[in-house]
Each structure stands twice: as structure tokens, then as C-alpha cells.
Amino acid sequence: MNIRQSLIFLGLAVLLLGGGCGSDSAGGSESTEITVETGSLPKAQFLKRADVICGKALYKMRRTFQTRFIEIKDRPLAEQRAEVPRLVRRALIPAIEVQIDRLSSLGAPAGDEGEITAFLEAMVQGLAKAKEDPSGFIGNPESFAKPRRLGEAYGFASCGGV
């Protein structure tokens, strides 16, 4: 494999993980209906805990992509490209599912339930797009544009984009 092929594959992985969010274990969030209870944390502590959840997920997803890239870097470009959707299904989707579950169970700061619910519902919608078409998801960073925008507006440092 030449440098150009390596850069293409790595570019695809970076596109997916550039501002990622997720968690560090498996789980599931299939419905688009999110319930967020009022938690006991003030906003600053909620943001801190949420960003830890998202930061761990980003680290794990990047590690998974890098490990797999090392394993296949000498294969033909077509094989490398075929691997990316599998990585989306294996690393990205489960991490986002758990991130949604963990953030919703964290409990929103009082008065912020609507903002957190809207953010998580946007994450679920982006996740549905990734599940529906992992290959198309790669070329469409806009799948997570809304949660990224909502996350940034709320104050997340690590949560909201993939």
C-alpha cells in the first residue's frame, strides 16, 4: 500500500472521529424517544461528567480505528475502503448508543431537561443514519451536524459530533 492509500483510509477514519462522542462499552438506544429526568448535578458538574463519557468513547473509537488500520494498511485500497463501514458498525455505532444511554441516565440539570433531550434526540437521529447506511455516513459528516451544534451551544467540550 502506498502513502496515498494510507492517507485516504486514515482520512476516512479521522472524518468519522474528528469530534466524536460515545462511550466505552456496548449498549443500545433504538427508539428516537428519549426520556431525560432531572438530575442532582449542577450544570458545570454535568458538563464535566458528560465530557468524560464522550472523551473515553472518542479515545476508544480512535484506538479501534488505528489498530484496525495497522492491520490492513498493506492491503489494496478497495479492501481498506470495504473495512470502514464494518468499523462504523463495530466501533462507532455501539459507542454512540452507550453514550446516549449514559448521558440520558446522568440526569439533566434542573431546567435543562429540554435542551438535553433535544441534543440526545439529535444524536439518535444521526445514529439512525449511520445504521441505515454506514458507507453513506462516511461521506456525510452532516449526519451529526445538529447534535454538534446543540452540544456546542449547551457547553459540551467533547460531546456532540462524530
Side-chain angles (χ1 to χ4, degrees):
M1 176 171 76
N2 62 36
I3 290 194
R4 183 175 186 276
Q5 291 172 323
S6 298
L7 290 174
I8 289 170
F9 186 82
L10 189 56
L12 291 171
V14 169
L15 174 66
L16 286 171
L17 302 175
C21 220
S23 186
D24 57 348
S25 63
S29 289
E30 295 294 24
S31 75
T32 57
E33 194 172 313
I34 298 289
T35 302
V36 177
E37 302 293 327
T38 302
S40 61
L41 296 173
K43 184 173 180 176
Q45 285 195 316
F46 174 83
L47 288 169
K48 192 181 258 186
R49 286 194 186 175
D51 283 328
V52 167
I53 290 168
C54 296
K56 284 181 180 180
L58 178 59
Y59 172 78
K60 184 170 182 172
M61 286 187 289
R62 283 186 176 159
R63 189 179 67 212
T64 300
F65 271 82
Q66 289 170 347
T67 300
R68 187 63 184 142
F69 173 71
I70 290 168
E71 293 170 0
I72 66 170
K73 68 182 174 120
D74 294 324
R75 294 185 185 168
L77 183 57
E79 286 183 37
Q80 293 176 33
R81 286 183 179 155
E83 184 64 21
V84 175
R86 283 183 276 239
L87 284 169
V88 169
R89 286 190 292 271
R90 189 175 93 197
L92 183 82
I93 290 171
I96 294 171
E97 289 174 333
V98 174
Q99 180 252 336
I100 291 167
D101 289 342
R102 288 192 176 173
L103 291 178
S104 63
S105 68
L106 196 54
D112 292 352
E113 300 85 358
E115 290 174 90
I116 300 304
T117 299
F119 166 76
L120 292 174
E121 286 174 348
M123 289 293 292
V124 169
Q125 291 167 0
L127 180 63
K129 291 176 187 175
K131 285 180 177 182
E132 182 179 309
D133 184 12
S135 296
F137 173 77
I138 292 165
N140 185 12
E142 294 305 307
S143 295
F144 282 87
K146 184 175 180 181
R148 185 176 18 260
R149 185 177 83 269
L150 292 172
E152 288 173 0
Y154 186 73
F156 290 122
S158 300
C159 297
V162 175

